[in-house]
Amino acid sequence: MDIALGTKVSGTFDDVVARTREALSTQGFGILTEIDMQATLKAKLGEDMEKYLILGACNPQLAHRAVGVDRQIGLLLPCNVVVREDTSAEDSFYVEAMNPDVMVQVSDESGLEAVATEAAAKLRAAISAL
């Protein structure tokens, strides 16, 4: 099983992030957290890296269903979506989301399968829209 659902897209970083936010919103996901790995690692460690943004996306209806099945599943919420620079090509980025099937595999709770299937469909639709 792949841990990520993803695609490679062209554009500027800001444009790809904006398109990703819009595509996720269309599928009912809001962004709860945002981590700029490039800025954080530079500030905390003095290390340089490519543009790398982690968006903590959450679909409230799906999250509610998931924690209704297994309260500990909140440890895996929200779904992380990464926008990261492809350092081998100019104006090229990867957009990747955590595969919700990981949630089922980690918990071994069959009641999460339907939630994971729906979440994966919504994330795939968002990624395909990019």
Side-chain angles (χ1 to χ4, degrees):
M1 171 185 51
D2 291 329
I3 66 166
L5 310 172
T7 192
K8 190 172 175 182
V9 296
S10 298
T12 66
F13 183 70
D14 290 340
D15 175 58
V16 172
V17 169
R19 288 170 27 209
T20 300
R21 287 177 181 278
E22 179 61 31
L24 288 167
S25 177
T26 298
Q27 293 300 318
F29 291 89
I31 304 302
L32 302 178
T33 60
E34 184 175 313
I35 302 168
D36 182 337
M37 290 292 291
Q38 183 183 44
T40 299
L41 293 180
K42 185 65 171 177
K44 302 291 184 183
L45 302 175
E47 296 289 337
D48 291 317
M49 73 174 295
E50 71 276 9
K51 293 176 181 172
Y52 194 116
L53 183 68
I54 302 171
L55 300 171
C58 180
N59 180 303
Q61 292 80 16
L62 294 174
H64 181 256
R65 286 174 47 204
V67 297
V69 172
D70 182 352
R71 290 291 200 231
Q72 285 187 322
I73 209 65
L75 295 165
L76 298 176
L77 300 176
C79 299
N80 283 336
V81 177
V82 171
V83 179
R84 63 184 176 90
E85 186 175 13
D86 174 5
T87 58
S88 68
E90 190 173 336
D91 292 328
S92 182
F93 299 89
Y94 295 99
V95 178
E96 300 165 313
M98 184 188 78
N99 183 343
D101 288 337
V102 170
M103 179 175 64
V104 177
Q105 295 293 323
V106 168
S107 73
D108 200 31
E109 177 63 60
S110 63
L112 291 172
E113 290 176 11
V115 178
T117 298
E118 188 174 342
K122 290 181 177 297
L123 288 168
R124 281 188 182 98
I127 290 168
S128 293
L130 299 173

